[in-house]
Amino acid sequence: MTLQQLKYIVAIDRYRSFAKAADALGISQPTLSAMLVKLEDELDVRIFERSNKSVTPTIAGEKVIRQAERAIAEAERINELVSEDKGDVAGDLRLCVASSISPYILPKFIRYYTEDYPQVRLTINELKGDAMLAELLQGHIDGAIATGGHAHQGILEIPLYTERFMVYLSADCWRKLPVFHPENLEHERMWIMRDAQCLRESAFSFCKARTKGRRVYEAGSIDTLIRIVDENGGFTIIPEMHLPFLSDAQRENVRRIEGDYLSQRRVSLYIREDYIRQAMLNTITKTLLRFMPEGMMDERIVKFGIKL
């Protein structure tokens, strides 16, 4: 049994396809199949049930795969320990970023990160919260950037920045008011975003005075919401970092929120509790500090960085 064989079965489990796993591993499909058969013969157990249509782990195979993931993670920690001790920042950094956050940070993040850390192989995917946590726990990624509050055993949450929500009003919807008071818009339509719980919670938290049974329409993106408001009237809420995406005319429709309402979201970095590459994590925060609006980043990050 070799570490290489363990990586092979983990890849097969992840992709549930010999062709896709072989492609990801950079080997031929016959080689992958032969290595799997060799390992199964050595262990005297069938790890996967395969057919023309599917590849699924057996009950015993599930246990072998989970142990293989742990073994691979521990082996990789050896290289991480040596690199961290040397102060090197190199190797792989695999991140996931929530889709409700990625438009605002990824363009500049990728640019600055690749400029400052060319020796790091950066990989970024977009996933939803639960999928991110699963990828973290299985060791498939090094970190995840998402809204705060995704508590889970075995995972640490490190607050990165806090972003305010603003109200975007239609041109004929109380534009003359200098600030936004929810009671002023009690009889207007509110448009909220589907699949973005932080927006939904904020919307309902300062719109409790709405008439019972009032219809709330949903859309799939902030840009869509803004166009709906422009065309149909009413209002929506947008994150502060969306402001640069607006035209000069649209910015005239933005108001801050007055009162004691849930009108902000915390964005955090999630890592496994046993992750040790402090220097690598600080490449993330240093890159964010290059372009994030002043005062938005967590004060502890600004002063001390990440301390594990």
Side-chain angles (χ1 to χ4, degrees):
M1 185 191 308
T2 66
L3 193 62
Q4 185 181 52
Q5 288 175 311
L6 299 183
K7 290 181 179 180
Y8 287 173
I9 64 171
V10 168
I12 295 170
D13 179 58
R14 184 175 188 183
Y15 293 100
R16 299 297 171 95
S17 162
F18 280 91
K20 291 180 180 178
D23 184 61
L25 293 165
I27 61 175
S28 68
Q29 188 172 334
T31 298
L32 179 60
S33 298
M35 292 294 282
L36 172 61
V37 170
K38 184 178 179 180
L39 181 60
E40 288 180 327
D41 289 344
E42 180 181 344
L43 296 175
D44 192 25
V45 67
R46 193 169 182 81
I47 299 174
F48 293 99
E49 295 290 355
R50 29 288 204 200
S51 68
N52 291 334
K53 295 183 178 180
S54 65
V55 180
T56 56
T58 63
I59 295 176
E62 284 278 6
K63 297 176 182 178
V64 173
I65 293 164
R66 299 290 84 81
Q67 187 61 42
E69 289 173 339
R70 289 190 286 269
I72 292 168
E74 289 301 316
E76 289 176 347
R77 280 168 60 86
I78 296 174
N79 289 327
E80 293 174 354
L81 283 167
V82 173
S83 296
E84 195 73 17
D85 191 56
K86 290 180 178 179
D88 295 339
V89 180
D92 294 314
L93 177 59
R94 303 159 298 177
L95 294 176
C96 280
V97 181
S99 57
S100 62
I101 295 167
S102 59
Y104 310 119
I105 67 171
L106 282 190
K108 284 187 170 60
F109 182 88
I110 292 172
R111 173 189 166 191
Y112 290 130
Y113 196 96
T114 53
E115 286 178 1
D116 293 344
Y117 306 102
Q119 68 276 34
V120 176
R121 293 183 294 274
L122 178 65
T123 304
I124 303 176
N125 293 316
E126 286 189 13
L127 289 174
K128 294 182 179 180
D130 291 342
M132 284 185 182
L133 297 183
E135 291 287 281
L136 267 179
L137 289 170
Q138 294 173 22
H140 295 159
I141 59 174
D142 300 297
I145 298 176
T147 53
H150 294 287
H152 196 287
Q153 185 176 359
I155 291 178
L156 295 178
E157 177 184 350
I158 303 170
L160 292 175
Y161 64 90
T162 300
E163 180 179 20
R164 294 179 299 168
F165 285 124
M166 316 291 281
V167 175
Y168 182 83
L169 308 162
S170 62
D172 59 352
C173 184
W174 296 93
R175 283 186 58 193
K176 294 181 180 180
L177 295 176
V179 294
F180 174 82
H181 294 277
E183 60 270 19
N184 296 138
L185 296 175
E186 182 178 352
H187 301 293
E188 294 284 350
R189 283 172 296 179
M190 177 178 65
W191 308 80
I192 63 174
M193 183 177 175
R194 186 184 65 242
D195 299 332
Q197 190 66 24
C198 58
L199 293 178
R200 183 189 300 271
E201 289 174 353
S202 289
F204 280 103
S205 71
F206 62 77
C207 295
K208 293 178 180 177
R210 292 179 302 127
T211 303
K212 185 177 180 181
R214 182 176 297 278
R215 297 175 66 187
V216 177
Y217 294 80
E218 297 189 358
S221 74
I222 297 294
D223 285 325
T224 302
L225 288 173
I226 289 171
R227 287 195 291 270
I228 289 175
V229 169
D230 288 342
E231 187 71 25
N232 296 275
F235 69 99
T236 189
I237 55 175
I238 63 175
E240 181 180 355
M241 290 182 69
H242 195 86
L243 295 181
F245 292 77
L246 302 177
S247 67
D248 290 341
Q250 287 175 323
R251 291 190 191 189
E252 295 295 321
N253 300 336
V254 176
R255 296 291 184 271
R256 61 188 176 86
I257 300 169
E258 281 290 303
D260 185 19
Y261 304 100
L262 178 62
S263 57
Q264 63 184 28
R265 65 176 176 181
R266 183 178 76 249
V267 175
S268 299
L269 173 65
Y270 295 88
I271 59 172
R272 282 171 41 145
E273 286 184 345
D274 60 357
Y275 192 79
I276 61 170
R277 300 204 66 183
Q278 178 176 294
M280 183 67 81
L281 295 180
N282 279 294
T283 65
I284 299 172
T285 58
K286 288 176 181 177
T287 302
L288 289 172
L289 283 167
R290 287 194 61 177
F291 64 86
M292 293 292 290
E294 186 175 357
M296 189 176 289
M297 290 288 288
D298 187 276
E299 290 185 6
R300 292 164 294 183
I301 294 293
V302 175
K303 292 181 179 179
F304 309 112
I306 293 176
K307 304 290 185 182
L308 297 179

